[in-house]
Amino acid sequence: MTEQPTSPSTTVEIGVETFGDVTADADGTMLSHGQVLRDVVAEGQLADRVGLDFFGIGEHHRVDYAVSAPEVVMGALASTTQRIKLGSAVTVLSSDDPVRVFERFSTVQALSNGRAEIIAGRGSFIESFPLFGFDLQDYELLFEERLDLLVELLRNQPVTWTGQTRAGLTDQQVFPTAEQPIPLWVGVGGTPQSVVRAAQHGLGLMLAIIGGEPMRFAPLANLYRRALDQLGRPQLPVAAHLHGFVADTDDEAADLLFPHYEAQMRKMGSERGWGGYSRTAFGAALAPEGNLLVGSPETVAQKMAAIVKGLGLARIDVKYSNGTLPHEGIMRSIELMGTRVKPRVHELLAGQ
């Protein structure tokens, strides 16, 4: 018998995310990291104005992404937005210090009047490990211990904690104190162990769907819900992150995005030993069962509603920045996501 997901709310949250991908201008000239950062702030401000629910900012330490300190960008947005939630996508917790993570996010939480969120994960790349002096042989232990300590800091101050990968704490208070609880999610790429770990800590689950069919993640979402039940915990939200781009028509969205997405995938493939990326593969990802949320507002809304319903999501986030895709196209995509896609998704879910 097929297990059915928890029914999503018809008011599912819809967010957007960026890694601060270094973009090109209309003439193909690459922009500076500084200009990209200023553009990210403008994108977050627009996401707030058009009614989106979450703006996520990734952390990377490499030349093709401008954001290495997401909380600083979040701080800029905290005082120039009104209602949108601001979070990481993700905080690379394995190579960070949980005390500093708490201090930075509690600062953003104060500046934003309670709108900060942490999505903790191990990241898509490993460049932060040598940069900050960590050994990749400690990959699993670093994340497990740092997640354990961060949970303690968020829930149980003052904290007494011991571990192998950093100095222990004894009755330690960390400042500034948070006026409201800071939500913590665990970003997972598809391993059952990561899903169960999130349930054991009583944390929200963020599914990183960057390839394949989204419905293949249904067993992981259901495993998470079963684990919560077996642990005697209340059901907690499941969210998902996918790549996407919205334009006025399906053809316009695909044609605008493909050269930038193909170049990005080819670069990642050369680093990781993948094959090339073809227009045929791109087309398969655009299909109703594919992983890319790309097309007109109606196409994206229909696909998004199906994913929300199939996985029982409380929130779905779209990484709208894809390689060198210019800022102007990005802004139009965000506008359509808030003004057209979000209300249509709610309408579709209400009618089911």
Side-chain angles (χ1 to χ4, degrees), residues 108-109 118 128 141 151 170 212 235 239 243 255 325 339:
V108 175
Q109 184 77 321
I118 306 169
S128 63
L141 181 62
V151 169
T170 302
Q235 286 298 310
H243 291 196
D255 290 343
L325 184 70
T339 60

Side-chain angles (χ1 to χ4, degrees), residues 256-316:
L256 284 173
L257 177 61
F258 177 72
H260 306 281
Y261 195 76
E262 187 271 337
Q264 184 182 50
M265 293 294 287
R266 180 164 25 88
K267 178 177 174 56
M268 296 300 106
S270 67
E271 295 177 1
R272 302 183 182 192
W274 303 339
Y277 191 77
S278 67
R279 187 72 188 232
T280 300
F282 182 70
L286 300 185
E289 67 277 7
N291 63 286
L292 289 180
L293 292 167
V294 174
S296 68
E298 180 65 20
T299 294
V300 171
Q302 290 280 352
K303 192 169 182 179
M304 190 179 287
I307 294 170
V308 167
K309 187 173 185 294
L311 299 180
L313 301 179
R315 189 170 82 208
I316 185 166

Side-chain angles (χ1 to χ4, degrees), residues 18-24 30-43 63-67 73 320-321 323 325 327 330:
T18 180
F19 295 169
D21 306 48
V22 174
T23 53
M30 299 303 292
L31 301 182
S32 67
H33 286 128
Q35 184 58 56
V36 172
L37 288 167
R38 292 186 287 274
D39 287 346
V40 167
V41 171
E43 290 154 14
V63 68
D64 40 353
Y65 298 110
V67 181
V73 184
Y320 64 81
S321 61
L325 184 70
H327 174 63
I330 283 172

Side-chain angles (χ1 to χ4, degrees), residues 184-263:
L184 174 59
W185 304 71
V186 176
V188 304
T191 63
Q193 295 89 342
S194 297
V195 169
V196 172
R197 181 191 292 120
Q200 289 171 334
H201 283 290
L203 303 174
L205 181 70
M206 173 63 72
L207 299 169
I209 303 175
I210 58 175
E213 297 180 7
M215 288 306 103
R216 295 199 309 179
F217 284 76
L220 292 177
N222 291 328
L223 171 63
Y224 172 71
R225 295 179 178 113
R226 289 198 306 273
L228 288 171
D229 279 340
Q230 292 170 6
L231 292 164
R233 294 185 179 277
Q235 286 298 310
L236 296 168
V238 177
H241 151 107
L242 299 93
H243 291 196
F245 179 68
V246 188
D248 290 295
T249 68
D250 289 348
D251 287 345
E252 181 186 7
D255 290 343
L256 284 173
L257 177 61
F258 177 72
H260 306 281
Y261 195 76
E262 187 271 337

